[in-house]
Amino acid sequence: MPDPQTASLVDEILARGERRPERLLQMLVQLQEALGYLPADVLTVLAKGLGLPRARVEGVAGFYSFLHLAPVGRYRVLFPDNIIDRMLGTPGLMDRMCRNLWLEPGHVSEDGVASVDTTSCIGMGDQGPSMLVNGHTLTGIDDARIDAICDRIRAGEPVGAWPAEWFRVEDNIRRADLLLDARLAPGEALAAAIALGREGWLEQMHRSNLRGRGGAGFTTAVKWLACRDAAGADKVVVCNADEGEPGTFKDRVLLTRLADAVFEGMTLAAWAVGAQQGFLYLRGEYRYLVEALESTLEARRSAGLLGHCIHGCQGFDFDIEIRLGAGAYVCGEETALLESLEGKRGTPRIRPPFPVTHGYLGRPTVVNNVETLAKTCLIARDGGEWFASHGTAQSTGTKLLSVSGDVARPGVYEYPFGVPVERVLRDAGAEDTLAVQVGGAAGIMLAGYEFGRHIAFEDVPTAGAFMVFDARRDPFEVARNFVHFFAHESCGFCTPCRVGTGLLKGYMDKLADGNGAYRDLADIEWLDRLLKNASHCGLGSSAPNPVIDVLQKFRPAIERRLRSADFQPAFDLDKALERARQMTGRDDAEAHLSNSPEHS
Amino acid sequence: MRDTPQTFLLDGVPVPFHEGQTILEAARAAGRYIPHLCWHPDFPPHGSCKLCIVKVGGRHVSSCAMPARAGAEVESDTPEMNGERRALLQMLFVEGNHFCPSCEKSGHCQLQALAYDLEMMTPRFNHFYPDRPVDASHPDVLLDFNRCIYCELCVRASRDKDGKSIFALTNRGIHKHLVVNAESGRLGDTDFSGDDLAANICPVGVILRKRVGFAVPIGSRTYDATPIRVVAMQSEDGEGA
Ligand SMILES: Cc1cc2nc3c(=O)[nH]c(=O)nc-3n(C[C@H](O)[C@H](O)[C@H](O)COP(=O)(O)O)c2cc1C
Ligand code: SF4
Ligand code: SF4
Ligand code: FES
């Protein structure tokens, strides 16, 4: 049984969530914030309070990487581990911090004060080295800052009391176009759409030919129409603000600068499909944005842009609730997102049925990306045809790119679709570029001879990431980093991805250690095929992309890591004796096998 | 459901189906076997093991979950699909700890039977050798997690049929594993019974009844005599174990 103080906290959180099982994840997030971890007895009480089997609560708590079932220290430090962060020097900073605090990565310090670990990309690739401490985002980290942070941790100072400038996140808007230049007044687009009527508004959406900015590029009007026509009056609009694709941060900037436009886009979707309930699913990494977003929502309610009779329009009722994720890339996949919104493990659903007919709690649901929704405001205000006159015929309008890596000016760039890759490189101040990873880890790696290609659904599609690597970098290491990412983020539901990403990681590490053989390349290609063909969702099927690209376009980067042998065992006899050496306190020559790769 | 004269082609042979039937269900009703592990006739499709993958118009789909469509050309019993299924089995074998010769389920195990049927000769990939403790706390049932393939049949049976929710999955990715409905984490502290459907549905050797081990000698067990592609089509519950 938890102590009385903890028990009353659980009660309070249960009451705040109205004891609704679909708020389970939100309750776990709040308990984690308050208690630092989720003790077993707290889960028992919470399960009872929600009328859920305890095993289910434990199952959910165990799924999300920001929730902990064992103590992780009063200060929980996470360094992002995307290849861009590594290039910015986070491994060295992390090392410094560990030495400073006398602890090992992944373990809690002996005094229980702190733990230091890595996490996937936190969407700060344009901010210099960054980190999370107890869910707070810190940017512009250097050695001196690490030392200062360690001092405060040792002094036991709460993170909230640390200097505000340590937490400043710059917008870094480097090129503005239709959206970032639009100067939309709150309610302006909504007034225009209401004047058009629901039908007229959908017609403008059709004419705009707007396609989803979250990755798949599905035509937004078609999605909305399907949801509107689906059986069931209780429709839902969800804004996908999970932005987990490594190297992507443009939604962060939209949620900071254009939050009104994002919420207005959701309201425009609600107007089109007839929804009354809306959710913004915000990745846990963007926890720091919640307060500002809540106050924007409050201002919109006061202005009559949310709530009952929106804009004075009888029968137009709609409101928005923010729900937080807790460290799971797969929850960006729309059906996993819906599971997570329902307070469950983020496991992608079987499709069909699709969310437009069976979404949140089985209700017809539109899921759209942040940028997609913001862009609908432009269409409402300036018209579908006007919007379609920008970009290319198949990719209308503009695209926000999150540019990071080896460039002089990292940040957000908005271009009309069809912009050549080399133009972006030039504008960002990239020199001696070897490769560009467009669309994140799941995207495509472009080699120099492809820099004339165009950003567009029909050529190089992208959810917005644009990571630049110059000639000093090794494409193999880029791919290996992404493979580690996918293995870490696999939800584990289906066999090919759960096991295949782990196996692929093993092969890439074997190659990195210099123990690869040609036989391994055959196994890698076979795994790539299985992942592509048999995976349950887009995570597994895109996991081999970086490896396939490197094998095709940068083959020497892989081949130079192969030992000439046709076959090299993955099992290292000498390494296997390490435990025995440790236990016997030996490290002399006799305690080593001379035939192992490192010693031959 | 009313019969409709619709058909699709399975490996070139017409298979009739009703609206709403999946490819696997329709094939089965027509006496055609498609390999499967997580699918069970008494439950909605789960779609996790991917043993049932088939190719429809060049695209891979899970036949247990994909509604049949008139005129579709489905490839299933081909060297290509069976090759991919074999690789999925190899993945399941290397992910857990499967020492068939000492396993009480040997000969009754669907994973093992499928591996024989699909002529899986080696595990091919490196073993993960996970550390998965056994739970012997229950008086009548032993849990040996080393062999779990995460089909969630026990989860579904306990929740949807037994009304107990004894099992759930926690963690994710390769670290995903089963937990039981007790703060102690021990099966003995739940209201699980050996008579629950969940106690008798595991396709592999995780959920084992105590004191009946090796009552049927190895060599005279279900799949020792008859391949799974035959057993699965005979038995009412699609299991045969
Ligand atoms: C593994 C995975 C991760 C995804 N992550 C995101 C994400 O972070 N944000 C997003 O908008 N879409 C993401 N998507 C795409 C969504 O499933 C969905 O297509 C999108 O939200 C639809 O919105 P749109 O039509 O406006 O693009 C992801 C897809 C997959 C397979
Ligand atoms: S492909 Fe990976 S992330 Fe997607 S369902 Fe399968 S295991 Fe989960
Ligand atoms: S214990 Fe058996 S029934 Fe349950 S998930 Fe594992 S393999 Fe399936
Ligand atoms: S039987 Fe279809 S995925 Fe398992």
Side-chain angles (χ1 to χ4, degrees):
Chain A
M1 281 298 285
D3 60 73
Q5 200 187 340
T6 310
S8 70
L9 174 73
V10 177
D11 262 346
E12 184 197 315
I13 285 174
L14 274 164
R16 211 187 304 156
E18 298 166 359
R19 296 180 183 265
R20 301 238 296 267
E22 65 268 26
R23 298 248 172 86
L24 168 61
L25 176 57
Q26 306 309 303
M27 295 178 189
L28 291 170
V29 167
Q30 289 161 21
L31 285 165
Q32 166 77 41
E33 261 187 44
L35 303 173
Y37 80 108
L38 302 167
D41 53 2
V42 167
L43 293 188
T44 306
V45 175
L46 186 67
K48 198 166 284 167
L50 288 170
L52 292 175
R54 186 189 186 283
R56 173 160 158 215
V57 173
E58 185 177 352
V60 173
F63 184 86
Y64 297 90
S65 65
F66 289 174
L67 302 177
H68 303 281
L69 301 177
V72 283
R74 269 190 290 127
Y75 296 88
R76 169 83 176 143
V77 180
L78 292 173
F79 286 92
D81 199 29
N82 184 27
I83 184 72
I84 298 297
D85 302 300
R86 296 184 73 86
M87 283 155 51
L88 288 167
T90 46
L93 294 165
M94 173 159 155
D95 209 43
R96 186 179 184 93
M97 185 154 208
C98 287
R99 273 185 284 118
N100 225 318
L101 293 173
W102 283 88
L103 52 78
E104 288 213 36
H107 296 276
V108 191
S109 58
E110 272 172 30
D111 53 11
V113 168
S115 65
V116 175
D117 210 339
T118 56
T119 187
S120 301
C121 178
I122 62 171
M124 297 288 152
D126 61 333
Q127 305 289 314
S130 58
M131 65 202 268
L132 292 171
V133 183
N134 294 351
H136 299 260
T137 305
L138 288 92
T139 58
I141 312 288
D142 56 14
D143 285 352
R145 182 66 51 81
I146 288 285
D147 296 347
I149 290 170
C150 290
D151 286 344
R152 288 176 193 255
I153 286 179
R154 271 191 298 265
E157 192 180 59
V159 184
W162 297 1
E165 70 263 22
W166 290 7
F167 303 93
R168 188 171 308 138
V169 179
E170 303 291 343
D171 290 337
N172 291 333
I173 295 175
R174 310 287 186 181
R175 187 182 193 280
D177 208 298
L178 299 187
L179 180 63
L180 296 175
D181 258 347
R183 291 172 215 293
L184 289 152
E188 195 185 359
L190 203 48
I194 289 172
L196 287 166
R198 293 182 199 258
E199 279 304 316
W201 165 223
L202 255 174
E203 177 56 28
Q204 290 304 315
M205 280 295 293
H206 270 294
R207 286 190 194 169
S208 77
N209 203 14
L210 174 70
R211 293 171 66 176
R213 269 32 174 179
F218 197 80
T219 307
T220 308
V222 173
K223 189 185 278 188
W224 288 11
L225 196 67
C227 182
R228 187 199 67 175
D229 293 342
D234 46 0
K235 290 168 179 144
V236 181
V237 171
V238 176
C239 175
N240 186 344
D242 198 53
E243 193 159 62
E245 196 56 59
T248 316
F249 44 79
K250 46 102 189 165
D251 290 344
R252 178 200 89 210
V253 174
L254 288 177
L255 292 165
T256 311
R257 273 288 182 96
L258 275 80
D260 256 304
V262 176
F263 291 137
E264 189 142 330
M266 291 178 71
T267 317
L268 288 168
W271 175 240
V273 306
Q276 302 196 352
Q277 196 172 13
F279 295 101
L280 178 84
Y281 184 86
L282 185 69
R283 69 188 310 221
E285 289 82 346
Y286 294 168
R287 165 76 185 78
Y288 74 98
L289 290 172
V290 169
E291 283 73 23
L293 290 170
E294 288 288 4
S295 59
T296 305
L297 284 177
E298 208 38 64
R300 292 184 70 83
R301 285 184 197 112
S302 310
L305 300 174
L306 280 177
H308 288 292
C309 298
I310 291 176
H311 225 284
C313 182
Q314 206 63 43
F316 184 15
D317 304 335
F318 179 69
D319 212 326
I320 297 169
E321 183 184 326
I322 299 174
R323 294 237 175 122
L324 271 174
Y329 163 66
V330 71
C331 289
E333 194 283 333
E334 59 187 7
T335 61
L337 185 153
L338 292 169
E339 289 286 297
S340 184
L341 264 187
E342 292 181 9
K344 301 181 185 154
R345 296 164 57 77
T347 303
R349 295 176 179 172
I350 290 173
R351 297 181 300 177
F354 291 93
V356 283
T357 57
H358 296 78
Y360 178 69
L361 299 175
R363 295 150 55 183
T365 303
V366 160
V367 182
N368 275 130
N369 172 257
V370 170
E371 182 183 347
T372 312
L373 288 164
K375 290 212 157 121
T376 63
C377 295
L378 298 179
I379 298 163
R381 190 185 69 178
D382 299 323
E385 260 144 46
W386 169 85
F387 186 86
S389 70
H390 299 84
T392 72
Q394 288 175 61
S395 311
T396 56
T398 59
K399 182 78 195 90
L400 268 58
L401 300 177
S402 320
V403 180
S404 64
D406 295 317
V407 295
R409 293 174 292 281
V412 171
Y413 292 71
E414 182 181 18
Y415 291 101
F417 264 120
V419 62
V421 169
E422 58 205 0
R423 164 83 197 277
V424 182
L425 288 172
R426 201 175 341 116
D427 290 356
E431 275 175 28
D432 205 10
T433 304
L434 177 71
V436 183
Q437 182 77 22
V438 183
I444 172 174
M445 188 185 281
L446 300 176
Y449 63 86
E450 297 173 287
F451 293 168
R453 293 180 66 181
H454 305 269
I455 302 291
F457 293 108
E458 64 272 25
D459 190 359
V460 183
T462 176
F466 193 99
M467 294 180 265
V468 180
F469 305 99
D470 69 19
R472 289 170 299 162
R473 314 293 177 186
D474 180 350
F476 169 80
E477 280 303 330
V478 175
R480 188 164 81 95
N481 176 263
F482 293 154
V483 167
H484 275 247
F485 165 76
F486 287 118
H488 177 68
E489 296 294 345
S490 165
C491 84
F493 174 71
C494 69
T495 311
C497 171
R498 183 181 66 245
V499 187
T501 52
L503 289 171
L504 201 54
K505 177 172 120 170
Y507 282 109
M508 296 297 273
D509 289 352
K510 186 181 177 207
L511 260 60
D513 290 343
N515 297 328
Y518 276 96
R519 232 324 259 286
D520 296 329
L521 293 193
D523 280 358
I524 287 175
E525 282 173 341
W526 177 225
L527 281 173
D528 286 351
R529 201 177 114 193
L530 288 164
L531 278 161
K532 272 241 159 309
N533 289 342
S535 292
H536 183 68
C537 86
L539 190 155
S541 60
S542 53
N545 288 354
V547 184
I548 293 172
D549 281 341
V550 170
L551 277 169
Q552 270 179 9
K553 302 175 187 175
F554 300 93
R555 203 160 178 103
I558 286 207
E559 284 189 338
R560 106 186 124 65
R561 308 194 164 255
L562 301 178
R563 311 181 97 213
S564 52
D566 185 46
F567 173 75
Q568 265 296 319
F571 186 74
D572 181 341
L573 266 179
D574 187 61
K575 243 190 210 153
L577 288 175
E578 185 54 40
R579 263 260 329 259
R581 276 194 295 269
Q582 277 178 3
M583 284 162 66
T584 52
R586 286 180 58 180
D587 198 27
D588 52 300
E590 291 287 294
H592 283 278
L593 288 167
S594 55
N595 66 346
S596 83
E598 274 148 67
H599 294 260
S600 56
Chain B
M1 233 166 281
R2 199 171 50 85
D3 264 282
T4 50
Q6 307 194 92
T7 60
F8 64 88
L9 288 178
L10 178 59
D11 295 326
V13 181
V15 170
F17 70 96
H18 325 286
E19 203 57 54
Q21 255 180 333
T22 63
I23 294 172
L24 187 145
E25 283 166 351
R28 206 177 138 79
R32 308 283 302 279
Y33 173 70
I34 299 177
H36 54 82
L37 276 175
C38 69
W39 180 82
H40 189 290
D42 299 339
F43 292 88
H46 191 243
S48 63
C49 74
K50 300 300 176 200
L51 260 296
C52 69
I53 43 167
V54 295
K55 226 157 116 177
V56 183
R59 265 189 63 225
H60 285 69
V61 300
S62 309
S63 63
C64 71
M66 183 56 72
R69 263 194 315 105
E73 291 182 29
V74 180
E75 297 166 47
S76 174
D77 197 3
T78 63
E80 183 194 4
M81 297 322 296
N82 286 332
E84 294 184 5
R85 290 179 185 133
R86 205 176 299 125
L88 292 168
L89 287 172
Q90 288 166 323
M91 288 182 176
L92 288 171
F93 271 96
V94 300
E95 141 179 71
N97 298 309
H98 297 270
F99 306 110
C100 296
S102 64
C103 177
E104 153 55 16
K105 194 77 174 218
S106 184
H108 290 318
C109 169
Q110 294 185 32
L111 180 69
Q112 183 195 43
L114 259 182
Y116 278 125
D117 202 45
L118 290 168
E119 294 174 336
M120 189 194 110
M121 299 303 181
T122 69
R124 175 163 187 158
F125 304 115
N126 294 319
H127 285 270
F128 285 75
Y129 298 120
D131 193 4
R132 299 188 192 158
V134 170
D135 181 349
S137 60
H138 193 277
D140 301 324
V141 176
L142 172 79
L143 296 179
D144 188 339
F145 296 112
N146 288 295
R147 304 156 185 160
C148 186
I149 57 167
Y150 311 112
C151 66
E152 291 188 60
L153 276 168
C154 59
V155 177
R156 293 181 276 160
S158 186
R159 183 189 61 209
D160 304 338
K161 308 275 167 157
D162 302 329
K164 291 188 182 178
S165 293
I166 299 290
F167 299 102
L169 290 168
T170 192
N171 217 305
R172 73 175 188 220
I174 197 72
H175 305 293
K176 184 170 86 163
H177 62 92
L178 270 186
V179 287
V180 300
N181 196 31
E183 192 176 306
S184 65
R186 288 153 41 98
L187 188 66
D189 294 334
T190 69
D191 55 348
F192 190 61
S193 148
D195 298 329
D196 288 357
L197 180 61
N200 300 286
I201 203 165
C202 183
V204 296
V206 179
I207 306 177
L208 297 170
R209 304 207 87 179
K210 291 184 175 173
R211 293 179 295 278
V212 296
F214 301 98
V216 182
I218 288 185
S220 352
R221 297 180 169 195
T222 318
Y223 303 113
D224 293 336
T226 321
I228 190 167
R229 61 173 60 230
V230 177
V231 177
M233 303 305 290
Q234 291 166 346
S235 62
E236 263 309 294
D237 64 359
E239 273 193 293

